[in-house]
Amino acid sequence: MGLSLSKVAQWTTDSSGRGKLELTTMNESLLKEVLRFVEEFSSQHPLESEHVFEEPLQWSTTLVASDFKTDYDISDSDVQSHEKDSEGRPLLQLSAPTVYVRSFSQLSKLVHLADDKKLEEVQACLEENKEPMVKIIGPSFASILEEKDTDTDVQGLADKVKEEDQGKDLDVRVKLLLLLQNMDNQLLSQFLKEIDGQAGLDPAAVRNEVELLKRLCSEGEKRVLKSVRYTSDYVFSNGCRAPPWRQALHEICYLVIEPCDTETLYITCSTAGVFLNGGIKQEGEESGYEQTSDTYKDLETLLKSTSQHFAANTNKQDSAVQELPSTQKIQHVESVVAKEQGQPQRSDEQQEKNAYEALQQRTLKMTYELCPRWRDLAERCGVAEEKKQGKSSGVEKSGEIQKKAKTKMKPNSVSPLPGCRSSQKIKTPAGSVPVDAFSESSNESEEEEEQPERRTESITDLPPEYWQIQKLVKWLKAGNQTATVLTLVHLMDFNLMQETCQLAIRDVGGLDVLINMLDTDEDRCKIGSLRILRKISHNMQIRRTIVYMGGLQGMVKILDSPVKELKALAAETIANVAKFRKARRTVRQFDGIKKLVKLLDCVPNLAKVTENQEKDVEVARCGALALWSCSKSTKNKEAIRKAGGIPLLGCLLKSQHENMLIPVVGTLQECASEESYRTAIKTNDMIKDLVKNLSRDNDELQMHCASAIFKCAEEKQTRDLVRLYKGLQPLVLLLKKANNKPLLAAATGAIWKCSISVENVAEIIDQLDGLRLVWSLLKNPNTDVQSSAAWALCPCIEKAKDAGEMVRSLVGGLELIVNLLKSTNNEVLASICAAIAKIARDKENLAVLTDHGVVQLLAKLTNTTDDRLRQHLAEAVGQCCKWSSNRASFGEAGAVAPLVRYLKSKEHAVHQSTTMALYQLSWDPHNCTIMHSKGVIKPLIQLIGSVDELLQENAAGCARNIRLLAQANRNARLFS
């Protein structure tokens, strides 16, 4: 929408002198791409879509007020969005027929509302906003965007922007700038493809002539030219050096030529010929592109017409002699290509062009092309970047055949190419796989996003171990498996922390060999392979490669091995690899969950264990590690339960070894999000063991135990068990570990849930001074800790004896909690509002809150669209209305109208708290007037019919107060 709009789009002028987009195929394509970009922007970039434009985009729209539905205030023919900027201006405003839009979020909503007139709206917007970039991101950002082209380094661009502009929301604006630049480049690339098919761009012919002219540049009296050079060293994929928007005008490149007898010449080379330009001294200087001479058929003709010295010292015969070697070579290549392809030879000019293109394509093919399977894998795993430098990572010459291994291998287990595993290697179990095995739960988050690999080391920077590892991998491929793999294991032990050494195995195709070794009959080979895979699978790129190459299937198969060391290594490697969704799904699909659960069956609590029993314990530990990784999937949680994993995990929970307990508790706290697990944990008396382990001196174990208690304490019986087993005291003591933020968040969460029971607040938390400790955590800068602490305070304040006096005794406590209303985190805001609603029930505390400005801060938050925050915010507003003139203050601060909009929410809890707040606010006449003007009566009448009695009363009370005010006004008018 920047360079593509101003330099590529085709414009015309109407009778009024305004620019209009012509009805051309190219313009239609541009409009469709811009429309697609706008429609998808909100869903793909939610944060950037909320950013407010520097100036609104405005145009004459075909939409009318009736086209706008919810989220808009409609008055006659005018429309305003509920969403406003920091200065209270609506992000969308319609004053028919002109519409003003201030964010991509509203722009996206508008084009959706336009339905079949979407393209018309986009066209009108672009025509009436000639510089949309300036309005969207500001003039300084837009100027930077306009002076860049497609070869710009993105990080360099961001750094330059940050140097030149230090304003607010800088990171969001930089991201927005880069998104717009990417969009612009995509449009330019699309147009170039269309133009390539229309104009016969021939950069090869220009390049050949430039090379010939460079030969004429020498020193001394016999030189013909002083110098010949391009203005840009960057060559695009089509051979052109001109920026994309100039390629759209059929320009190929720009030259600076210094003749011996005239001033320096600035030349444009295009498909139509060559001509002098205004002097492009700096890249991107627009005025320099203008043509200042006639057009000549080639550079030689132009130079002869402008330089007498050049004309006198060159002639056709000399040129022919100089041109002959290169021409003969090209013709020879053409004849060879023609013979290979069975085509007749063409004219000299066509031969030259076709020969060059064919030679270029054949060279590229020989240099870059990978086998299909590895190429697809490389693209998915971020390895394909090395193709740009002409390197084929992990792939050797396509003609090389791997030597036969000395170790006996099963059929189909050897891949003929290091980069391409045999398609017969991966076998599925007998029978078809259920459809649901290939889908994950919708609520499962992806821990790892696909990340491009960043390799900053040059060849000279690589450590010597890198080359040693690569040499050993080559020996592996040559068949020296047993001895070599053990040597490689020892080398990796000393260089585990070096990422380059981990990737060295993959780079030379070693992953393929190691995965194939899992299918051998030699246990020592499999052990060595797994010991290496276990180490290098900590690397995200490598574990993804392992999954896409089918490595998990071999590891799952090994879980049935009678060799305990093999089972333990396979399970631990699965634990490392199963960090993302596809890997977890693959483990379940090939019955890995059942096999892992079987590994848990051991006796871990014997005072003395034999060497064999010790191996069983290690197998169980590794199995628990793998289940912990797999349990992040909802379907895997169910599979663990069905396989009988809960009682086995309960047995291992009694272990004395922390290295066993951490993965066991980690698995339980992941699974405790499911009700079936919470019930099983309670009935199998695991709460006692979780409480017991809270007192162990291991922060990670304590954190997982507290998290498990937090999830299980949804039921009252579980909360009672925590109190019965004296679990509240260790939970409160954990609050003193102020430096461990995850542990604090887990402990405060557990206290929050446990304090729902009155008994836990009244026999135990008060006695342990838990309220003071929890309150102190509000000072912690971590938002998770802040929100957990605030949620924990709510039941404590509500149910503790003399809670009001207790809160007042905390010096600076109320000021601290009011200041947290300035947070930008919705979860923190929701929890703080909930706490304020409890605190404000005490009149003295409410007075202090009011003095600290709680009314103004709450009012500022009322424009939120987050229903969770709306619920607790409305409750806080309602409670704060019960002091002095706070009702009127809320009205003056603009809180009433947004609260009326809350009634459009679909959440019952939002309706409950909102009607309570509106009822309290309705005791002020001015507030009643605002509510009535915003159409509150209709939703209130609907809520009066609710089955919730409290909601009924509040809705009816609010409507009654509005009615009484209206009646009083009518009576006043009659009597006056």
Side-chain angles (χ1 to χ4, degrees):
M1 292 191 296
L3 294 171
S4 57
L5 182 63
S6 61
K7 302 179 184 299
V8 177
Q10 296 158 306
W11 294 87
T12 185
T13 304
D14 62 10
S15 57
S16 64
R18 294 194 309 171
K20 291 287 187 180
L21 286 167
E22 293 185 22
L23 297 176
T24 65
T25 304
M26 185 175 291
N27 281 352
E28 184 180 2
S29 178
L30 180 145
L31 291 173
K32 288 180 179 178
E33 284 300 311
V34 172
L35 173 61
R36 183 186 61 79
F37 176 77
V38 171
E39 285 183 313
E40 297 175 357
F41 195 89
S42 292
S43 59
Q44 295 182 355
H45 311 287
L47 180 61
E48 290 75 22
S49 71
E50 299 298 331
H51 182 73
V52 180
F53 297 163
E54 291 291 311
E55 295 181 43
L57 297 175
Q58 62 183 79
W59 68 94
S60 297
T61 180
T62 60
L63 297 176
V64 295
S66 59
D67 291 323
F68 294 83
K69 309 299 181 186
T70 58
D71 297 332
Y72 296 95
D73 291 329
I74 303 172
S75 175
D76 296 330
S77 61
D78 293 345
V79 175
Q80 289 189 358
S81 64
H82 293 166
E83 295 180 353
K84 293 180 172 58
D85 62 13
S86 59
E87 298 179 8
R89 296 174 297 190
L91 297 184
L92 184 145
Q93 182 175 359
L94 173 66
S95 297
T98 304
V99 66
Y100 303 84
V101 180
R102 293 179 177 270
S103 73
F104 271 111
S105 173
Q106 289 296 333
L107 195 59
S108 178
K109 291 179 181 177
L110 184 141
V111 295
H112 280 294
L113 289 173
D115 200 17
D116 57 346
K117 296 181 180 179
K118 293 178 181 179
L119 279 179
E120 293 180 33
E121 291 295 322
V122 173
Q123 181 173 350
C125 177
L126 295 180
E127 288 176 346
E128 297 183 38
N129 297 274
K130 286 300 177 60
E131 295 184 338
M133 294 301 182
V134 175
K135 292 188 174 183
I136 292 173
I137 55 178
S140 59
F141 276 59
S143 63
I144 292 173
L145 179 59
E146 295 239 350
E147 67 185 25
K148 299 294 175 183
D149 55 35
T150 53
D151 64 305
T152 301
D153 174 70
V154 173
Q155 187 59 46
L157 174 62
D159 293 340
K160 178 169 182 178
V161 171
K162 290 180 179 178
E163 288 177 7
E164 298 187 4
D165 191 317
Q166 296 296 328
K168 62 179 181 179
D169 300 332
L170 182 58
D171 290 337
V172 175
R173 288 194 290 163
V174 170
K175 180 67 180 299
L176 187 57
L177 171 64
L178 298 178
L179 290 171
L180 292 172
Q181 184 202 36
N182 184 52
M183 165 64 176
D184 213 40
N185 289 339
Q186 289 177 4
L187 289 175
L188 290 171
S189 299
Q190 179 176 334
F191 296 146
L192 288 181
K193 290 178 182 178
E194 295 181 10
I195 291 169
D196 270 341
Q198 300 168 7
L201 290 176
D202 192 2
V206 175
R207 189 192 67 168
N208 288 341
E209 189 171 9
V210 171
E211 293 301 318
L212 290 173
L213 291 176
K214 284 183 177 180
R215 297 180 193 175
L216 302 178
C217 301
S218 60
E219 297 296 332
E221 297 179 356
K222 295 184 179 181
R223 69 178 179 179
V224 179
L225 294 170
K226 289 183 181 180
S227 67
V228 178
R229 61 182 176 86
Y230 294 104
T231 60
S232 172
D233 293 329
Y234 185 81
V235 183
F236 290 88
S237 58
N238 58 5
C240 294
R241 294 171 187 259
W245 61 91
R246 301 304 299 183
Q247 292 180 38
L249 301 177
H250 301 175
E251 293 178 5
I252 298 171
C253 66
Y254 311 99
L255 298 169
V256 180
I257 298 181
E258 293 185 75
C260 296
D261 58 343
T262 65
E263 61 184 10
T264 301
L265 304 176
Y266 297 93
I267 301 172
T268 297
C269 300
S270 71
T271 56
V274 299
F275 55 84
L276 296 179
N277 60 52
I280 308 172
K281 298 179 178 62
Q282 294 182 357
E283 186 176 354
E285 185 182 331
E286 187 66 24
S287 60
Y289 290 116
E290 60 186 7
Q291 184 171 349
T292 60
S293 74
D294 295 333
T295 302
Y296 299 85
K297 66 176 183 178
D298 54 30
L299 289 170
E300 181 181 9
T301 306
L302 184 150
L303 288 170
K304 283 183 177 180
S305 69
T306 55
S307 170
Q308 294 181 359
H309 179 79
F310 181 86
N313 288 276
T314 57
N315 54 53
K316 293 183 178 180
Q317 183 177 359
D318 292 335
S319 298
V321 171
Q322 292 179 6
E323 193 174 344
L324 180 60
S326 61
T327 305
Q328 287 179 336
K329 289 179 182 178
I330 291 172
Q331 289 176 346
H332 174 68
V333 173
E334 168 69 5
S335 64
V336 172
V337 174
K339 287 180 181 179
E340 288 184 358
Q341 298 180 352
Q343 298 174 350
Q345 296 190 29
R346 299 175 176 84
S347 64
D348 291 346
E349 183 180 353
Q350 188 66 26
Q351 282 181 357
E352 180 177 335
K353 179 180 177 182
N354 290 344
Y356 173 76
E357 292 177 353
L359 180 61
Q360 187 181 43
Q361 290 174 2
R362 291 177 68 205
T363 304
L364 286 172
K365 185 175 181 180
M366 288 187 296
T367 308
Y368 300 116
E369 188 165 333
L370 306 175
C371 67
R373 181 182 176 89
W374 184 265
R375 181 174 63 246
D376 180 55
L377 173 62
E379 289 172 354
R380 283 182 289 180
C381 297
V383 185
E385 289 297 318
E386 293 185 345
K387 294 195 290 182
K388 294 181 180 178
Q389 286 121 21
K391 299 176 183 178
S392 51
S393 297
V395 184
E396 297 185 348
K397 294 180 181 179
S398 58
E400 181 181 352
I401 305 298
Q402 188 178 18
K403 295 182 180 179
K404 185 177 181 181
K406 291 182 180 179
T407 305
K408 182 179 178 183
M409 303 182 83
K410 293 183 179 181
N412 299 325
S413 64
V414 179
S415 169
L417 290 176
C420 307
R421 303 188 67 224
S422 169
S423 60
Q424 300 176 18
K425 162 111 173 34
I426 303 173
K427 298 178 180 178
T428 58
S432 59
V433 180
V435 175
D436 66 351
F438 293 94
S439 62
E440 290 294 337
S441 60
S442 59
N443 63 347
E444 181 188 357
S445 62
E446 184 70 17
E447 289 77 22
E448 296 176 355
E449 299 293 337
E450 293 285 356
Q451 298 284 344
E453 179 184 341
R454 293 183 175 91
R455 298 285 295 279
T456 57
E457 306 91 338
S458 64
I459 293 179
T460 56
D461 294 333
L462 293 172
E465 293 82 7
Y466 180 93
W467 306 110
Q468 295 176 31
I469 289 172
Q470 286 213 342
K471 185 182 294 184
L472 287 170
V473 172
K474 289 179 181 178
W475 289 349
L476 271 178
K477 293 195 290 185
N480 305 315
Q481 265 89 2
T482 306
T484 306
V485 78
L486 294 177
T487 306
L488 189 56
V489 168
H490 291 305
L491 186 58
M492 290 297 295
D493 284 338
F494 290 103
N495 299 282
L496 173 61
M497 300 310 294
Q498 296 188 21
E499 183 182 7
T500 52
C501 292
Q502 297 172 6
L503 295 172
I505 294 178
R506 187 200 66 186
D507 290 351
V508 78
L511 271 181
D512 205 42
V513 180
L514 291 171
I515 291 173
N516 279 335
M517 288 174 65
L518 299 180
D519 286 338
T520 65
D521 291 330
E522 179 58 53
D523 288 341
R524 291 178 63 196
C525 275
K526 290 192 279 192
I527 288 173
S529 174
L530 284 170
R531 287 178 66 183
I532 296 171
L533 290 171
R534 178 186 61 179
K535 292 179 181 297
I536 65 177
S537 58
H538 287 284
N539 181 281
M540 182 181 70
Q541 299 290 340
I542 288 180
R543 59 173 164 255
R544 288 187 174 275
T545 308
I546 289 172
V547 172
Y548 288 120
M549 294 178 74
L552 268 181
Q553 289 87 316
M555 296 176 199
V556 169
K557 186 177 180 182
I558 288 174
L559 296 176
D560 290 326
S561 171
V563 181
K564 295 177 181 178
E565 184 180 5
L566 264 178
K567 291 194 288 189
L569 284 169
E572 191 168 356
T573 309
I574 290 172
N576 293 341
V577 174
K579 300 292 187 184
F580 61 106
R581 189 176 305 167
K582 180 177 175 62
R584 294 191 283 269
R585 183 172 63 234
T586 302
V587 174
R588 182 181 70 248
Q589 173 189 338
F590 289 91
D591 286 333
I593 300 296
K594 294 179 181 177
K595 296 178 180 181
L596 288 170
V597 169
K598 287 182 181 178
L599 301 185
L600 302 181
D601 194 5
C602 71
V603 185
N605 296 317
L606 296 177
K608 293 183 179 179
V609 293
T610 64
E611 183 178 352
N612 196 46
Q613 288 173 328
E614 190 173 348
K615 290 180 180 178
D616 288 335
V617 172
E618 176 62 13
V619 169
R621 184 190 73 84
C622 294
L625 277 172
L627 289 173
W628 187 10
S629 294
C630 293
S631 64
K632 289 180 173 60
S633 158
T634 302
K635 291 192 174 182
N636 283 353
K637 292 174 187 177
E638 182 63 15
I640 294 170
R641 188 188 66 78
K642 288 183 176 179
I646 296 179
L648 291 174
L649 288 169
C651 180
L652 293 178
L653 192 57
K654 301 182 184 298
S655 173
Q656 299 300 314
H657 304 288
E658 291 176 359
N659 64 346
M660 171 71 83
L661 287 171
I662 288 175
V664 169
V665 178
T667 305
L668 287 172
Q669 69 93 9
E670 282 288 350
C671 295
S673 58
E674 303 295 317
E675 185 179 359
S676 58
Y677 273 88
R678 294 198 295 270
T679 303
I681 289 172
K682 178 179 61 180
T683 55
N684 285 284
D685 204 22
M686 295 188 206
I687 298 296
K688 181 178 182 179
D689 293 311
L690 290 173
V691 169
K692 178 182 177 183
N693 289 321
L694 282 174
S695 301
R696 288 183 177 269
D697 189 19
N698 184 303
D699 286 2
E700 185 180 6
L701 178 57
Q702 289 173 327
M703 185 262 291
H704 291 306
C705 288
S707 181
I709 291 172
F710 162 71
K711 292 181 179 179
C712 292
E714 293 285 345
E715 290 83 15
K716 184 180 185 306
Q717 189 176 352
T718 300
R719 297 194 292 270
D720 293 341
L721 287 174
V722 173
R723 182 179 70 255
L724 177 66
Y725 294 127
K726 304 187 186 318
L728 294 173
Q729 182 173 2
L731 281 174
V732 172
L733 290 176
L734 292 180
L735 301 182
K736 297 180 180 179
K737 295 192 175 184
N739 294 326
N740 191 324
K741 313 249 181 332
L743 177 57
L744 286 177
T748 50
I751 291 172
W752 164 30
K753 288 298 178 68
C754 289
S755 59
I756 294 174
S757 293
V758 179
E759 300 87 350
N760 290 342
V761 175
E763 294 166 307
I764 306 296
I765 293 179
D766 281 352
Q767 294 176 12
L768 297 170
D769 201 21
L771 184 66
R772 188 179 301 275
L773 285 170
V774 173
W775 201 291
S776 68
L777 293 180
L778 294 174
K779 299 177 183 177
N780 195 294
N782 184 277
T783 54
D784 289 337
V785 175
Q786 289 174 349
S787 59
S788 295
W791 287 126
L793 287 173
C794 293
C796 292
I797 295 170
E798 184 178 21
K799 296 170 183 176
K801 245 188 203 180
D802 300 323
E805 184 64 33
M806 187 188 306
V807 170
R808 285 193 294 279
S809 69
L810 300 169
V811 179
L814 291 175
E815 183 179 5
L816 170 63
I817 207 164
V818 170
N819 283 334
L820 282 173
L821 288 174
K822 299 173 184 177
S823 173
T824 57
N825 183 285
N826 277 1
E827 186 65 20
V828 172
L829 291 173
S831 61
I832 293 298
C833 287
I836 287 174
K838 307 298 182 189
I839 296 169
R841 293 179 180 179
D842 180 271
K843 288 294 180 66
E844 292 185 44
N845 287 338
L846 176 54
V848 177
L849 289 173
T850 304
D851 290 341
H852 285 304
V854 72
V855 170
Q856 288 72 23
L857 289 172
L858 288 173
K860 283 184 180 180
L861 299 176
T862 52
N863 280 314
T864 182
T865 57
D866 185 297
D867 274 345
R868 182 173 169 83
L869 176 54
R870 281 176 164 183
Q871 173 193 345
H872 299 289
L873 175 58
E875 186 180 5
V877 169
Q879 291 296 339
C880 289
C881 280
K882 298 176 182 178
W883 174 256
S884 186
S885 61
N886 281 359
R887 294 186 179 94
S889 298
F890 276 118
E892 293 167 3
V896 178
L899 284 169
V900 172
R901 294 198 293 269
Y902 291 11
L903 298 180
K904 296 179 181 179
S905 170
K906 296 180 180 178
E907 295 295 326
H908 180 72
V910 176
H911 294 164
Q912 280 183 320
S913 58
T914 302
T915 52
M916 185 271 287
L918 291 174
Y919 172 60
Q920 291 296 328
L921 289 166
S922 68
W923 290 101
D924 179 80
H926 180 62
N927 291 343
C928 285
T929 304
I930 298 174
M931 291 180 203
H932 187 271
S933 68
K934 295 300 178 181
V936 76
I937 294 298
K938 184 176 179 180
L940 283 178
I941 291 173
Q942 292 175 343
L943 292 174
I944 289 172
S946 171
V947 295
D948 186 325
E949 291 186 5
L950 183 60
L951 192 152
Q952 276 182 356
E953 290 177 7
N954 285 323
C958 182
R960 172 183 175 274
N961 287 344
I962 296 172
R963 174 62 181 163
L964 288 175
L965 176 65
Q967 186 176 356
N969 287 336
R970 186 169 58 252
N971 291 340
R973 285 196 299 270
L974 289 173
F975 288 111
S976 64

